[in-house]
Amino acid sequence: MTPAEEIAFLSAEIRRHDRLYYEADAPEIDDAAYDGLMRRLRTLEAAHPELASPDSPTRRVSGAAAEGFRKSRHLAPMLSLDNAFGPADFTEFTASIRRFLRLGEEEALDFVAEPKIDGLSVNLLYEGGRFVKGATRGDGAEGEDVTENLLTLADLPRDLPGEVPERIEIRGEVFMDRADFAAFRAQQQKAAEEREARRERGEKLGPAVPVPVNPRNAAAGSLRQLDPQVTAQRPLRLFAYAMGAASAVPVDTHWQWLEWLSAKGFRVNPLSARVTDPEAFQARIAAERPALAYEIDGVVYKLDRLDWQARLGFVGRAPRWAIAWKFPAERATTTLRRIEIQVGRTGALTPRAVMDPVAVGGVTVTHATLHNEDEVSRLDVREGDRVTIQRAGDVIPQVVEALPPLHGARAAPWVPPATCPACGAHAARVNGEVVRRCTGGLTCPAQATERLKHFVSRRAMDIEGLGEERILLLHDKGWLGAPADIFRLPAREAELRTLEGWGELSIRNLFRAIAARRTVPLERFLFALGIRRIGEQNAKLLARHYGTVERWRAAMLAARTVGSEAREELGGIAGIGPAIATEVVEFIAEPHNLRALDDLLGFVAPEPAQVAAGGTFAGKALVFTGTLETMSRAEAEAKAEAAGGRIAKSVSARTDFVVVGADAGSKAAKAAALGVAVLTEGEFLQRLAT
Ligand code: IVH
């Protein structure tokens, strides 16, 4: 079992035992066995924080079945930050800002630096100066409404004095100090031990007491308590550091914003500073880090001028105007037990190190990625070796070095498998790729189930109630092969009811979740298909470009011909390019995939892509060529997109406007030949202004 599988399995088992204990009053296992399941789940989640789901039994209030929180949509999305790992990354960051804004070297870039605390971010909504709602980040668009719990924080001002915009979102980090965490953890540990002693005396007890692994985990668990009185007893703190949506912006720079927050009663990290020499600041904070009251994993640098921030905007999920410069990853050494192979949804075979448990960066780790077989040879890592691993932030730990065992001889070099461990099909590296792939395609059970897992996942179709364990089971039964089969499950209600742990309520909830997904935004649908290299960002590009699933499908079929206009158009979409175009076309050219897609479209009606409503260029395709005078190409493209347009790199009959700068070459000529409208920079800006 992979850790993901084991986590899903354990979570389902624990939930089943909870039901048996609390609802049916008919426990099947004793407390020790129950605690064993919990312990194992907690260990796995600690080693793989990226796999720990927010509704895991380990994060739940003891005794109550987690019914969860109300969802709360943020007025402005809560984004993440790109990372820098050294001065070179930071230099590239500032250079890209200069390029985008077309600033000369003589123009100073002022940054505000703030320590990056490892807690959880929250969105605080104030209306008329009064705190009305608070939510966790969630998926960035909507989180969980934890208003009642936030109200128990002493650091949270309920009313803001003086003049305040009518409506304003304030963002900050909820965290626990190191010392508070240590005391809290000791207290939980003691409670867990006492409970154990009572259990030994034969008492019937509820679920185990959760013992948090790190301050972040403790803060998140404490804020997500269903009972605010429990949160009130937890030593949670809050630093404010960012603005979300606001009906008016009371300041011109980020620094003034921090001052404004302070004046309104928020706590702002006192180490925040306006800096001219980030490298020196980074070194200073790194030196102070061990003595700080809380854990930090880097420093966030934000461009001070808000007008520049606004011009720079976002790319993907991160702003162009801020970066998190992380401290070097923490390292630890342990013994490599074996190298195992994971099969991904596109058949990629990924070697993974299974190691003796080791603490690194605040969590215990038992698995690390080895990326691919070239990496295994490069490191010459062998079973039984001592391995150094590193872990930075939330990324998956990786092996960085291998040393021979202290005693005894080294094992033979690792040999990549010639066949897929899941289906036995031939596994090969083709076209000089670094990745070895299972050739079993749709017949490989691992690929099929990985695809299904991806299809239902939160960022894809977001079908709740179809976790890994259930997918594996239904796949085994032969009821779930392709995504469309999910929509056929309601026809199997009687059979599902015969399965252990599938109560009437959970089946009804599952059917409701499935029915709700018969319409989804086109970009989600395209992402859910699991086409290689079509992540969320590229799915969005395709959705915006083609608008409807029918147009997309027809265009992909036409694009199978190399050199066709449809193929040129696909490869010409800014951000897609010829290599990704080939992946999409190969997907569609595979008859199984086309059949699976059409089968799915019998159930799901993807909603046409949203174009910025009422934008000057809503739904229009633009191509930029030549050198612009007043702004960089990147900024012009971002402006066109903000006005609803989509950017293409090459001119075709489907192009609506070609914007020409100085020295425009063949694209301008092609536009003329095809009769596409040509705009000068001035005309472009004029249209934007209207
Ligand atoms: S600003 C668009 N400032 O880091 C700006 N984030 O990777 C986005 N964080 O989810 C956030 N300290 O939880 C910002 N001073 C700081 C921060 C900070 C910690 C966290 C926050 C966010 C994540 C982004």
Side-chain angles (χ1 to χ4, degrees):
M1 251 197 277
T2 66
E5 284 165 8
E6 204 183 336
I7 285 175
F9 170 76
L10 287 168
S11 306
E13 267 301 282
I14 291 168
R15 285 198 189 100
R16 189 169 72 81
H17 289 303
D18 282 349
R19 277 194 301 276
L20 288 168
Y21 185 98
Y22 287 107
E23 290 166 29
D25 205 26
E28 268 177 21
I29 54 172
D30 66 9
D31 283 343
Y34 182 93
D35 290 351
L37 295 175
M38 266 314 223
R39 241 192 329 269
R40 176 73 189 143
L41 179 58
R42 225 174 274 130
T43 310
L44 282 168
E45 288 180 342
H48 305 276
E50 73 285 359
L51 298 177
S53 99
D55 61 3
S56 164
T58 58
R59 306 198 186 182
R60 192 189 46 209
V61 200
S62 48
E67 26 177 287
F69 296 90
R70 250 173 309 145
K71 296 262 185 207
S72 167
R73 187 156 277 277
H74 311 308
L75 298 180
M78 290 181 80
L79 298 135
S80 51
L81 294 166
D82 277 342
N83 292 327
F85 293 100
D89 291 347
F90 197 87
T91 305
E92 173 48 32
F93 164 65
T94 52
S96 76
I97 290 178
R98 285 184 188 285
R99 280 197 299 274
F100 191 99
L101 296 177
R102 287 255 194 106
L103 299 177
E105 283 301 322
E106 72 292 346
E107 193 105 44
L109 292 185
D110 289 333
F111 289 97
V112 173
E114 301 159 6
K116 187 168 188 293
I117 297 190
D118 210 7
L120 74 156
S121 48
V122 290
N123 188 24
L124 311 168
L125 177 65
Y126 285 80
E127 279 174 0
R130 171 149 266 249
F131 175 63
V132 292
K133 191 164 78 165
T136 59
R137 177 172 183 274
D139 64 2
E142 67 177 17
E144 288 174 321
D145 184 334
V146 288
T147 308
E148 296 302 317
N149 295 355
L150 283 164
L151 280 167
T152 69
L153 269 65
D155 294 342
L156 182 119
R158 288 160 186 241
D159 292 289
L160 308 181
E163 210 168 295
V164 178
E166 177 49 34
R167 208 165 198 226
I168 189 162
E169 285 181 325
I170 288 158
R171 273 97 195 248
E173 199 83 352
V174 170
F175 64 100
M176 217 181 256
D177 272 351
R178 264 193 247 263
D180 287 336
F181 167 70
F184 172 61
R185 183 183 152 101
Q187 175 201 320
Q188 294 289 96
Q189 190 83 49
K190 192 156 156 256
E193 280 158 17
E194 278 168 10
R195 180 181 173 287
E196 181 69 4
R198 283 171 58 200
R199 187 197 60 73
E200 276 169 8
R201 290 200 296 273
E203 288 182 44
K204 185 177 144 183
L205 300 169
V209 179
V211 180
V213 293
N214 55 37
R216 197 203 115 70
N217 191 282
S222 298
L223 193 64
R224 298 187 67 261
Q225 291 291 323
L226 290 177
D227 179 359
Q229 289 185 357
V230 178
T231 306
Q233 287 151 23
R234 305 283 171 85
L236 293 178
R237 303 182 49 188
L238 168 72
F239 277 137
Y241 54 59
M243 189 176 5
S247 54
V249 181
V251 293
D252 297 322
T253 66
H254 184 66
W255 184 251
Q256 287 169 3
W257 170 239
L258 294 185
E259 289 176 334
W260 189 91
L261 286 169
S262 269
K264 298 294 171 201
F266 288 96
R267 283 168 45 91
V268 172
N269 192 314
L271 293 170
S272 305
R274 243 186 309 198
V275 298
T276 43
D277 185 352
E279 212 171 329
F281 190 79
Q282 191 75 12
R284 191 191 118 200
I285 298 295
E288 286 183 28
R289 183 181 182 196
L292 294 180
Y294 40 79
E295 279 187 10
I296 62 172
D297 59 358
V299 179
V300 182
Y301 294 88
K302 300 173 181 172
L303 191 62
D304 197 23
R305 276 178 62 162
L306 297 186
D307 58 338
W308 283 352
Q309 286 191 6
R311 277 175 64 192
L312 285 156
F314 299 84
V315 54
R317 306 176 55 79
R320 287 192 185 87
W321 43 264
I323 202 159
W325 186 345
K326 297 292 194 70
F327 295 128
E330 281 193 53
R331 294 188 169 196
T333 300
T334 182
T335 302
L336 176 75
R337 286 292 154 218
R338 59 194 165 81
I339 296 175
E340 65 176 24
I341 290 285
Q342 284 188 298
V343 186
R345 77 183 136 85
T346 58
L349 304 191
T350 307
R352 198 165 76 129
V354 183
M355 312 161 303
D356 284 349
V358 61
V360 55
V363 296
T364 303
V365 157
T366 50
H367 294 82
T369 180
L370 286 159
H371 300 292
N372 56 56
E373 56 197 64
D374 285 356
E375 179 72 359
V376 178
S377 333
R378 190 185 69 76
L379 293 164
D380 187 23
V381 54
R382 309 185 190 185
E383 294 181 347
D385 280 356
R386 278 178 304 140
V387 286
T388 300
I389 59 161
Q390 75 175 20
R391 176 177 175 275
D394 273 347
V395 304
I396 301 170
Q398 52 178 344
V399 176
V400 290
E401 193 188 19
L403 298 163
L406 289 175
H407 308 287
R410 265 191 115 185
W414 181 73
V415 184
T419 55
C420 169
C423 73
H426 176 57
R429 287 171 68 164
V430 286
N431 308 332
E433 274 195 327
V434 293
V435 181
R436 181 178 296 267
R437 283 180 202 280
C438 159
T439 55
L442 292 170
T443 63
C444 175
Q447 285 191 49
T449 52
E450 286 298 320
R451 262 198 300 271
L452 288 165
K453 271 160 55 185
H454 170 76
F455 185 79
V456 302
S457 65
R458 190 164 75 162
R459 298 201 162 281
M461 295 289 277
D462 191 19
I463 298 178
E464 244 178 88
L466 210 48
E468 176 157 17
E469 186 204 21
R470 287 185 160 188
I471 289 179
L472 295 179
L473 176 73
L474 297 178
H475 184 263
D476 258 10
K477 293 261 178 208
W479 300 343
L480 204 52
D485 295 336
I486 292 171
F487 296 88
R488 295 193 175 94
L489 287 177
R492 290 190 187 272
E493 179 164 3
E495 288 150 292
L496 293 175
R497 275 167 181 262
T498 64
L499 301 175
E500 203 177 323
W502 290 62
E504 196 178 323
L505 184 67
S506 86
I507 291 181
R508 211 176 330 130
N509 285 341
L510 174 62
F511 289 173
R512 199 177 308 136
I514 292 172
R517 286 321 192 179
R518 285 175 160 254
T519 49
V520 289
L522 178 60
E523 58 193 70
R524 267 189 189 261
F525 181 81
L526 295 179
F527 173 58
L529 293 177
I531 304 169
R532 209 186 295 168
R533 300 184 66 176
I534 301 300
E536 281 178 280
Q537 194 55 29
N538 288 338
K540 195 180 277 181
L541 293 175
L542 292 176
R544 278 175 123 229
H545 188 86
Y546 294 101
T548 66
V549 76
E550 293 77 21
R551 276 185 64 189
W552 174 75
R553 182 184 177 281
M556 293 311 101
L557 290 176
R560 285 178 301 185
T561 313
V562 179
S564 61
E565 184 158 330
R567 180 65 164 264
E568 294 293 306
E569 183 183 334
L570 174 62
I573 300 172
I576 296 285
I580 296 175
T582 305
E583 298 282 3
V584 185
V585 166
E586 279 179 2
F587 179 90
I588 283 287
E590 166 67 50
H592 285 297
N593 289 338
L594 187 59
R595 246 187 321 229
L597 170 69
D598 289 341
D599 190 9
L600 195 53
L601 289 173
F603 297 98
V604 183
E607 298 160 14
Q610 303 246 329
V611 283
T616 317
F617 292 113
K620 303 290 185 206
L622 291 90
V623 174
F624 287 83
T625 180
T627 313
L628 302 179
E629 223 159 73
T630 62
M631 67 186 92
S632 66
R633 167 100 53 101
E635 182 169 7
E637 289 179 351
K639 277 189 194 294
E641 277 180 348
R646 39 175 220 267
I647 310 303
K649 289 290 168 201
S650 60
V651 180
S652 76
R654 297 264 315 275
T655 309
D656 295 292
F657 297 105
V658 174
V659 182
V660 292
D663 303 322
S666 62
K667 287 180 192 173
K670 187 157 181 202
L674 290 172
V676 173
V678 173
L679 300 180
T680 63
E681 183 175 350
E683 287 165 340
F684 168 68
L685 290 174
Q686 215 164 16
R687 279 184 189 244
L688 277 180
T690 51

